[in-house]
Amino acid sequence: MSFAVGAKVEHRTFGAGEVAFGPFDHSTGPNHYLIKQEGGKHALVVAEALSPAAKFKVGDRVKGQLSGTEYTIEAGPFFSPREWYATKHADGTVTQNGAGVLSLIDSAADDSAVKVGDVIRILKDGAFAASVKAGDLFEVKSLNPRIPGRIVVDAGPGARMSQWNFRPQDFVKVSADKATVHDGTVYDLTAQYRDTDGDHWSFKRVGDAVRGDCGRSNIDRSSRVGGYSERLSSVVSTYGPLTKV
């Protein structure tokens, strides 16, 4: 295998590096390269000791540069004929994608990265053997430190376990304008709620607060919610508990 100047490579002894010059013949034989190591030193190596550097590693979150579809690297890299990976979609489907059409998702800068306190929506009934249904909402209580991508939530009332673990393919993150958490309870801002007086409430995020409007019938009133509407916290304390309808 030949490598172009500037190519990222792995040497079986020196580790990661970059091709600085080559290939060229040396007194010890043909197909030699000069590589620049990560510390800045250069080393003379034979081609047989080099392999292409992997663009991604197993567990990385990536997305298609054209489609925008997000995947998790399931296996790889493979280098025949070009660098490619086995990639897993959120629904569990595994496909293959070339390294050239994928980009790494920077979890630190990515709004879709899940963190403690976020709300997630379950994608299918019985996800990861939990007693849940598609569409159920949960607050993320912790991240599994041993398995990247795994999250932990408090289980529902009467569940056989106090907490459940979910994999990335089991859920999607819900944006702050679609759900909120108040006093440990998750509220779906796309749904209506009935209070103890029988009135029906619609809620909407207005700035940093979630506010609501009510009426006797079960219709969406979110368009009427504004900066002077009653806060969710006040509705819960005065007319709660609220029941989703």
Side-chain angles (χ1 to χ4, degrees), residues 1-4 7-23 31-36 43-53 79:
M1 180 178 291
S2 61
F3 302 91
K8 303 295 184 182
V9 292
E10 288 281 343
H11 187 270
R12 62 191 179 198
T13 301
F14 301 126
E18 178 180 316
V19 174
F21 184 74
N31 294 325
H32 280 66
Y33 288 88
L34 189 65
I35 63 168
K36 183 179 181 180
L44 178 67
V45 300
V46 294
E48 290 79 6
L50 294 177
S51 60
F79 292 101

Side-chain angles (χ1 to χ4, degrees), residues 26-190:
H26 189 262
S27 59
T28 57
N31 294 325
H32 280 66
Y33 288 88
L34 189 65
I35 63 168
K36 183 179 181 180
Q37 300 169 251
E38 288 187 334
K41 294 183 178 180
H42 288 73
L44 178 67
V45 300
V46 294
E48 290 79 6
L50 294 177
S51 60
K55 186 175 181 181
F56 308 110
K57 64 181 182 298
V58 172
D60 279 348
R61 293 178 59 240
V62 297
K63 65 180 178 180
Q65 294 175 354
L66 297 179
S67 67
T69 303
E70 295 188 11
Y71 305 94
T72 300
I73 299 296
E74 186 75 3
F78 306 99
F79 292 101
S80 179
R82 297 180 181 87
E83 184 179 356
W84 63 275
Y85 295 82
T87 51
K88 179 181 285 187
H89 191 265
D91 64 4
T93 304
V94 177
T95 58
Q96 68 178 57
N97 280 285
V101 301
L102 298 174
S103 297
L104 183 68
I105 295 175
D106 182 0
S107 295
D110 178 38
D111 287 340
S112 66
V114 177
K115 61 184 181 300
V116 173
D118 284 341
V119 175
I120 57 100
R121 187 185 304 275
I122 300 299
L123 294 175
K124 59 183 179 180
D125 294 351
F128 208 39
S131 300
V132 294
K133 294 182 179 180
D136 286 350
L137 300 179
F138 294 95
E139 180 187 8
V140 177
K141 291 298 184 179
S142 63
L143 307 180
N144 191 318
R146 295 171 296 180
I147 309 177
R150 292 278 182 90
I151 65 166
V152 180
V153 306
D154 286 343
R160 65 183 185 275
M161 302 175 65
S162 60
Q163 292 187 315
W164 288 317
N165 281 258
F166 292 113
R167 306 160 299 179
Q169 62 265 36
D170 298 324
F171 64 87
V172 292
K173 178 180 174 179
V174 181
S175 60
D177 63 331
K178 302 295 184 184
T180 190
V181 180
H182 170 68
D183 199 22
T185 299
V186 179
Y187 292 90
D188 186 348
L189 302 185
T190 67

